[in-house]
Amino acid sequence: MILKMNILEDTRTRVTLNEHGVDNVHSTDFPGEYPGYDDSWDINKFKKNFHVDMIKMNDDELEFDMVGIDAAIANAFRRILLAEVPTMAIEKVHIYNNTSIIQDEVLAHRLGLIPIKADPRLFEYKAEGEDFSPEDTIIFQLKVKCTKNPQAKDATDPDEVYKDHKVTTKHLKWIPMKGQDAIFKEGDLQPVTDDILIAKLRPGQEIDVRVFCNKGIGKDHAKFSPVATASYRLLPEIVLKSPITGVLAEKLQTCFSPGVIALDKVNGENVARVANARKDTCSREVFRHEDLKDLVELKKIRDHFIFSVESTGILPADILVEEAIKVLMKKCRDFLSDLDT
C-alpha cells in the first residue's frame, strides 16, 4: 500500500526523465483523479503552498523560484512578460535626407528595433489618427554627416581617416515636446546604450531623420517586448537509489554539470552525493552508461518553476515582473467581471 501511494505521489508531483522519453508530463492532480487525495482547489491551501523565492537580481537579470502553482499560470506569466508589458519604441520615422547605402525602409526598420530607455508608465497610448502629443510621444533627431579627417594623412584605419563614419545611437538627440523638459532632464530619455551601430557612412554621405516613439506591447510588434528572454524550467531532482562509491562515483560526477554531484571521503573512499540538483541541465548523459543508469533516477518537480528574466535595459527586471503581475491581475478582474455580466 505504501509503495502504491509513493507511485501515485510521484505521478502527481513529478515529471520522470527516462532513457528514451519523459513520463508524467501532464498535470493530473484534478479533484477525484486519485483515491485518497483531496485535490479540490482551496484558497487557504494555495496560500500555504505558494511562495516566490528570489535567487539572483540585478538591473538587467532576475532569477526567482515560483513554487506551488500550475504550469498554465506560470506560462501565462511568461507570455505576459514577452508580449503584454508595455514599453516605448520608435514607431514613426520621418526621413529628410538619407544618402547612405542603406535603403530608407531598412534604416527605418533598424531604428525601430533600438530599445529606448523611457518609463512607459509616464506615457499614454497614442490614439489612432491623433497627432503626436507630449503625453504619448518622445521625439529624437538623428543628423550625421561623414567628413574626412584632415589630420589623418597616412592613416588607413577608417576610424582615423573619417569623422562620424559610424552612425550609432549616441547620435540620437532628444527633442523635448511642449512641457517635457519640465518633467524630464537630459539623459532621462535616451537609447539603452549609445554604441548600437545604425549605419556606416563615407565622406559626403549623411543621414537626417526625426523619429517618434510611442507606447505599445510586444503582441503588436516585437520591438515593444521589454525582455531579451523570459523563460522557466522545472527544478531538477536527482535520486541515487543506492550508494555509489569509488571509480563509479567519479564517473557519475562527470555525467552531470559541474557542481551537481559532490564526492565525499568516507573511510578513504569517494562516495557520490547530490550537492545541487538545480545546476543540472537534464542532459540524461548518465543513461548512456550501463553501469550507472539503473542507480539513478532523474525527475523534475512539477510545481517548482525556475524563472529567468533578462531585461533589454528599458526597465529593471524586477519592475518588469511587477508590471507583469499587474497585467495578470487585471486579466483576472476582467474575467470575473465578464462572468458577472
Side-chain angles (χ1 to χ4, degrees):
M1 183 66 180
I2 294 176
L3 178 61
K4 184 178 179 181
M5 292 297 287
N6 287 339
I7 293 173
L8 284 179
E9 183 66 19
D10 257 16
T11 303
R12 292 175 66 255
T13 63
R14 299 294 188 271
V15 175
T16 305
L17 280 68
N18 301 317
E19 183 177 1
H20 299 296
V22 183
D23 292 339
N24 306 330
V25 294
H26 302 295
S27 297
T28 56
D29 52 343
F30 306 115
E33 182 75 12
Y34 301 106
Y37 286 93
D38 179 17
D39 284 321
S40 58
W41 196 85
D42 179 75
I43 184 65
N44 293 320
K45 185 167 67 174
F46 174 78
K47 287 180 178 179
K48 179 181 177 181
N49 295 331
F50 177 74
H51 57 95
V52 175
D53 302 321
M54 290 294 173
I55 306 301
K56 180 179 70 174
M57 183 172 69
N58 55 45
D59 283 347
D60 294 330
E61 294 181 49
L62 178 66
E63 182 179 321
F64 63 93
D65 291 0
M66 188 180 288
V67 185
I69 205 164
D70 190 76
I73 304 300
N75 193 48
F77 184 71
R78 180 190 68 87
R79 289 172 64 93
I80 289 170
L81 273 168
L82 287 168
E84 297 190 55
V85 174
T87 64
M88 302 295 288
I90 295 172
E91 183 72 359
K92 296 290 184 183
V93 179
H94 292 180
I95 300 177
Y96 301 106
N97 192 10
N98 174 26
T99 56
S100 71
I101 63 171
I102 298 180
Q103 300 94 326
D104 291 353
E105 296 85 352
V106 177
L107 178 62
H109 182 262
R110 290 178 66 84
L111 289 167
L113 295 177
I114 295 171
I116 303 299
K117 192 169 186 178
D119 193 336
R121 296 169 294 182
L122 303 177
F123 294 88
E124 304 293 333
Y125 286 100
K126 181 180 175 296
E128 191 171 350
E130 295 292 327
D131 290 335
F132 298 114
S133 70
E135 290 77 25
D136 58 39
T137 303
I138 305 170
I139 301 176
F140 292 97
Q141 185 175 35
L142 178 64
K143 191 170 184 177
V144 184
K145 184 173 182 177
C146 179
T147 58
K148 282 187 177 181
N149 182 6
Q151 307 300 323
K153 295 181 179 179
D154 300 323
T156 57
D157 185 353
D159 290 335
E160 297 180 23
V161 177
Y162 309 121
K163 289 184 177 180
D164 294 327
H165 78 105
K166 286 183 179 179
V167 182
T168 63
T169 45
K170 73 178 181 181
H171 293 104
L172 281 168
K173 305 302 180 185
W174 172 47
I175 307 298
M177 298 184 73
K178 184 178 180 181
Q180 286 186 341
D181 50 356
I183 303 172
F184 306 102
K185 62 180 184 294
E186 191 71 30
D188 285 348
L189 306 175
Q190 61 182 5
V192 168
T193 60
D194 62 5
D195 59 353
I196 300 174
L197 184 64
I198 300 171
K200 289 185 177 181
L201 304 178
R202 286 298 180 262
Q205 295 179 341
E206 64 178 303
I207 292 176
D208 184 5
V209 301
R210 184 166 287 201
V211 300
F212 301 81
C213 306
N214 296 125
K215 188 174 179 178
I217 56 176
K219 189 160 62 174
D220 295 331
H221 195 288
K223 67 186 177 184
F224 290 110
S225 182
V227 293
T229 181
S231 62
Y232 64 77
R233 61 189 178 97
L234 297 178
L235 179 69
E237 182 180 63
I238 302 169
V239 179
L240 304 183
K241 295 160 77 171
S242 62
I244 302 175
T245 61
V247 176
L248 212 56
E250 296 173 12
K251 186 177 180 180
L252 177 71
Q253 188 180 48
T254 64
C255 292
F256 293 90
S257 303
V260 175
I261 301 295
L263 299 179
D264 298 331
K265 282 286 185 182
V266 179
N267 297 325
E269 188 176 36
N270 286 327
V271 178
R273 169 177 58 86
V274 179
N276 190 353
R278 184 189 188 90
K279 294 182 177 180
D280 185 30
T281 58
C282 300
S283 67
R284 294 184 282 183
E285 167 71 18
V286 68
F287 291 139
R288 297 181 61 197
H289 305 277
E290 292 293 331
D291 51 354
L292 287 174
K293 67 179 184 180
D294 294 327
L295 303 178
V296 179
E297 286 184 355
L298 302 183
K299 304 176 183 180
K300 292 186 176 184
I301 302 176
R302 188 190 300 281
D303 66 348
H304 191 134
F305 299 90
I306 302 173
F307 267 88
S308 296
V309 179
E310 183 181 341
S311 170
T312 58
I314 295 172
L315 287 173
D318 59 318
I319 299 296
L320 295 180
V321 171
E322 288 182 18
E323 293 302 304
I325 293 171
K326 292 176 184 177
V327 173
L328 184 57
M329 291 172 63
K330 183 179 184 302
K331 285 177 176 287
C332 294
R333 287 193 295 266
D334 291 345
F335 178 72
L336 293 173
S337 177
D338 290 342
L339 287 178
D340 292 336
T341 56

